[in-house]
Amino acid sequence: MKGLLQQYIQQAAQHIDHVVQNDHFVLHEREVGRLIRVSSGVASVQGLPNTKAMELLRFENGVMGIAFNLDPDEIGVVLLGEDTELKAGSRVERSGRVIDVPVGQALLGRVIDALGKPLDNEGSLQTELRWPIEREAKPIIERAPVSTPLQTGIKVIDALIPVGRGQRQLILGDRQTGKTAIAIDTVLNQHDKNMICIYCAIGQRGASVAKLIQQLREQDALKYSIVLVAAGESTPGLLYIAPYAATSIGEWFMEQGHDVLIIYDDLTHHAHAYRELSLLLRRPPGREAYPGDIFYLHSRLLERATHLKKQYGGGSLTALPIIETQAQNLSAYIPTNLISITDGQIYLSPVLFQKGELPAVDVGKSVSRVGGKAQLPSYLDISGPLRLSYSQFEELETFARFGTRLDDATRHNIERGRRVREVLKQDESTPLSVFEQIMILQAVIAGLFDTVPIERVKKAGLQLCSALTDQFVPLQNKIYSGERLTAEEKDQLLNFARSVLNSVMENIHENP
Ligand code: ATP
Ligand code: MG
């Protein structure tokens, strides 16, 4: 009997040895802490001394949080979900990893939240790959200069404040001045340009985001876009991670050699969310109650936009961050920070918006520091002189308002300038191709619009575009391939414009 028992024990011991040696049986070491305090999207945790900065922690109800503040005896955690079911004293576990998002081709055409969960009813994302949301910006050695234009399809921007692929161009203005409209028009204009567009909505009303998604879907632009939404009612933690998550998704496409456009709408809400978190975590407040690292918050985000050299894949990531100004104050804290981080800004003025000069771009206060180098040569020939004469015109016009008596040449310049301004007006969702823009702008510079009554100029410009036929396809291709037009070819275009505008004028005379 005793011998049999010993035999059994021996067999059992051998079996356990076998299981352990063959990894059937693994012991998991887990660190478990306790939740001390929770309120307004942040929590304090004790008992996890080995937690690393920015590590994900898992709470009892499945909600995750980011370890933000590491103090010797307490951790300040930013929650990424609802805190309603969390109780003081409940368990908190370390996850050993940092926060990441799904990346890959499967995201195209989808609407997701800041954690990468689908928000449309189109099933789960078919991708295994996940990238951390915070990644290092590309080193200088891998970066190429900005050399290819990114056409927004909006005349005033493409001509006077051009944007290049890989550039960071800020869009700023008071509320309701058409900031989102410019970004969305740019997305609509990319539909046959091999560009992947990511729209990151931060802290906006659900209704406006839904309208925007609908617009993208109707115009068939969703198929090359990704919409990442951190809506206004999300916890500040989700608002905070949204732009970084969107950038990682964009970087994946960039590293596959694609050109990517990413819109952050808007970073004012992002800065507010970060300020809220910092104050709740009792970090010391500085100017306008923002924490000391508010500049780093946005600089490390926008520094990830770049144009890669050919040998590193050749893709690009263009960033269009949007921010809202208060009462046209460009020198507030966040606007000045972003102006200094980006490669230029498009300023939208509420005054112009009220006058109906749409898009309400204030050319004098807008600038593009690198985009001009990326413009197509034939376009550059037109836009260079246009920029100069337009700014001269704006000065002259202010001067002329004082009732000064003007000589003929000045009056003529003012009349010409007014027509340029009319021609630059453009409705929403009507992006124009480069060729159409060149046609109109060349005609107005050559004075072909001088005889058209000012209130008919905008319409005449559109009529000129719709009269364009296939006869210009070779010229068009020449422009797109980066060649300059010869004087003869320019004349050919001008003659065409002249004949169209003459018939427009005849029409006006017949039905005034
Ligand atoms: P918010 O501060 O609320 O985000 P916003 O600055 O993004 O506003 P939009 O929502 O883009 O502004 O535009 C405000 C309004 O102006 C919208 O009703 C839009 O349709 C209109 N609008 C914008 N651009 C144009 C345009 N070029 N032509 C006609 N209407 C326009
Ligand atoms: Mg907006």
Side-chain angles (χ1 to χ4, degrees), residues 446-459:
L448 300 186
F449 280 93
D450 286 0
T451 50
V452 182
I454 200 116
E455 62 283 358
R456 297 295 276 263
V457 168
K458 184 178 163 198
K459 194 171 164 205

Side-chain angles (χ1 to χ4, degrees), residues 150 152 154-164 167 169-170 182 320 343-348 359-372 375 379 383 386-387 424:
L150 183 143
T152 63
I154 303 168
K155 278 168 288 188
V156 62
I157 296 177
D158 286 349
L160 304 178
I161 322 146
V163 183
Q167 186 175 343
Q169 181 80 355
L170 178 67
I182 286 192
L320 291 183
D343 307 308
Q345 77 269 359
I346 297 171
Y347 176 63
L348 299 172
V361 177
D362 185 331
V363 176
K365 288 186 182 145
S366 304
V367 62
S368 174
R369 297 197 190 94
V370 294
Q375 256 180 334
Y379 203 161
S383 63
L386 186 69
R387 197 171 316 157
L424 290 178

Side-chain angles (χ1 to χ4, degrees), residues 78-374:
V78 169
L79 295 174
L80 298 174
E82 287 305 317
D83 57 12
T84 38
E85 286 174 31
L86 291 177
K87 285 194 215 80
S90 61
R91 285 156 55 102
V92 187
E93 279 172 20
R94 278 184 63 186
S95 71
R97 58 189 185 94
V98 291
I99 181 158
D100 51 16
V101 277
V103 295
Q105 201 73 29
L107 273 88
L108 272 187
R110 302 300 300 266
V111 181
I112 55 173
D113 71 3
L115 296 169
K117 293 202 197 85
L119 296 175
D120 45 10
N121 294 324
E122 307 202 0
S124 58
L125 291 172
Q126 301 300 321
T127 177
E128 293 290 298
L129 208 55
R130 296 186 75 90
W131 273 15
I133 64 163
E134 296 261 12
R135 301 180 73 237
E136 283 218 359
K138 293 285 170 197
I140 293 169
I141 204 83
E142 294 184 15
R143 295 176 182 234
V146 172
S147 58
T148 325
L150 183 143
Q151 307 293 351
T152 63
I154 303 168
K155 278 168 288 188
V156 62
I157 296 177
D158 286 349
L160 304 178
I161 322 146
V163 183
R165 296 188 179 187
Q167 186 175 343
R168 298 153 302 166
Q169 181 80 355
L170 178 67
I171 301 175
L172 79 169
D174 281 13
R175 53 173 295 277
Q176 288 289 306
T177 46
K179 303 183 293 296
T180 307
I182 286 192
I184 294 306
D185 283 357
T186 308
V187 172
L188 296 181
N189 193 43
Q190 307 306 321
H191 91 102
D192 49 359
K193 300 204 170 54
N194 263 332
M195 177 80 78
I196 286 163
C197 304
I198 302 178
Y199 179 81
C200 175
I202 309 165
Q204 294 188 41
R205 281 173 299 125
S208 12
V209 183
K211 189 169 141 232
L212 185 142
I213 295 170
Q214 179 71 9
Q215 192 187 355
L216 291 180
R217 191 166 276 140
E218 273 166 13
Q219 311 240 11
D220 211 18
L222 201 58
K223 63 175 189 225
Y224 55 84
S225 310
I226 301 166
V227 181
L228 189 143
V229 185
E233 76 279 6
S234 312
T235 58
L238 285 176
L239 296 183
Y240 162 71
I241 63 166
Y244 300 102
T247 311
S248 287
I249 294 172
E251 272 175 334
W252 184 85
F253 283 103
M254 173 175 79
E255 294 199 1
Q256 313 302 308
H258 289 288
D259 288 313
V260 183
L261 166 69
I262 178 159
I263 295 156
Y264 308 103
D265 195 359
D266 61 46
L267 290 186
T268 316
H269 288 130
H270 185 239
H272 287 171
Y274 190 60
R275 173 167 67 182
E276 190 180 333
L277 289 177
S278 305
L279 291 175
L280 287 166
L281 290 167
R282 305 200 171 277
R283 291 184 176 183
R287 185 175 158 191
E288 291 181 23
Y290 287 107
D293 60 345
I294 191 81
F295 187 86
Y296 179 54
L297 176 81
H298 290 145
S299 64
R300 74 174 190 269
L301 172 72
L302 293 168
E303 204 45 34
R304 289 164 72 180
T306 184
H307 179 201
L308 293 178
K309 280 185 184 160
K310 270 257 156 23
Q311 63 264 43
Y312 295 99
S316 70
L317 187 79
T318 313
L320 291 183
I322 297 180
I323 54 168
E324 186 182 300
T325 50
Q326 304 286 330
Q328 306 182 53
N329 184 8
L330 290 184
S331 47
Y333 194 20
I334 302 295
T336 41
N337 274 355
L338 274 143
I339 286 173
S340 67
I341 293 168
T342 49
D343 307 308
Q345 77 269 359
I346 297 171
Y347 176 63
L348 299 172
S349 147
V351 179
L352 295 179
F353 193 91
Q354 276 151 19
K355 280 198 214 160
E357 284 179 25
L358 297 172
V361 177
D362 185 331
V363 176
K365 288 186 182 145
S366 304
V367 62
S368 174
R369 297 197 190 94
V370 294
K373 298 184 195 87

